[in-house]
Amino acid sequence: MLKKIKHLSLAIPLMVGAISVQAKPLSLERIFDDPSLSGKSPVQLKFSPDGSRVTYLQGKSDDYNRYDLWEYNLKDNTNRVLVDSAKLFSGPENLSDEEKARRERQRIFGKGILEYKWSKDGKALLFPLNGDLYYYDLASDKSKKLTDTEAFETDARFSPKGNYVSFIREQNLYALELESGKEIQLSKDGGGVIKNGMAEFVAQEEMSRMTGYWWSGDETKIAYTRVDETPVKEAIRNEIYADEV
């Protein structure tokens, strides 16, 4: 017994010595550089409506800032990619000014798939990517593009019964019937100082309310805010960056 303890005490200094040789000093630049020291942590974890799986967003192994949609299956104890964002869109993302401001107020940073919503029946997922909306069907394991416009579609969600998808486009409120693919423009005077169905700055930044419209439970009506900023005086505000103003 004494002989074993003696050998153990000799092994410990050797291990510490080996670790000190391999270790590299951690610089301030490396702490804040990519990839993150904490690795690719999953974000936006959500249970599916039937409780069979947990979905989440996770950065790619070669680009932690580009997120894909994943699931963890509770029955099989397996993880898998549901939607690879690069397969749907791989070019540079050109965000609208409204989308930049919205992401900043939501504290959302990165690219690829940055938010998503479950349908109430748990059969589908809805997510935006580069300004367009996509519908992922769980049974077929396929994604379908719902919109294809130059404008940005934001604040998208399923209606209570899952028959429609509603969203904001160019400061107006729309609904899209999933079965037929028909778009219905619900407000028409949005633009400039008029914003329909959108939460204004104070609601977003100070009250954490990121939406400006609400469905009725039977899908027959939508209540929405109409913000008119006509009385607000406009002033020049310079945004100063490293290479431009």
Side-chain angles (χ1 to χ4, degrees), residues 127-140:
F127 61 91
L129 179 61
N130 193 45
D132 290 313
L133 302 180
Y134 291 82
Y135 177 95
Y136 173 78
D137 180 68
L138 209 64
S140 65

Side-chain angles (χ1 to χ4, degrees), residues 1-17:
M1 182 66 179
L2 289 173
K3 189 179 264 188
K4 288 182 181 178
I5 293 174
K6 185 177 180 180
H7 289 169
L8 181 61
S9 66
L10 288 172
I12 292 173
L14 289 173
M15 289 172 62
V16 173

Side-chain angles (χ1 to χ4, degrees), residues 143-163:
S143 298
K144 178 174 67 174
K145 198 172 189 179
L146 296 180
T147 62
D148 190 2
T149 67
E150 292 184 3
F152 258 72
E153 285 80 38
T154 62
D155 194 11
R157 73 187 75 159
F158 287 104
S159 60
K161 295 183 179 180
N163 296 310

Side-chain angles (χ1 to χ4, degrees), residues 33 41 44 49 54 87 99 103 105 107 131 167 185 193 209 215 221 234 245:
D33 198 5
S41 302
Q44 292 203 30
V54 177
K87 289 183 178 180
E99 180 65 10
R103 290 188 183 186
R105 291 164 195 164
R107 309 301 187 258
F167 56 89
Q185 186 170 351
V193 294
R209 174 167 64 80
W215 280 92
K221 303 177 184 68
E234 293 188 8
V245 175

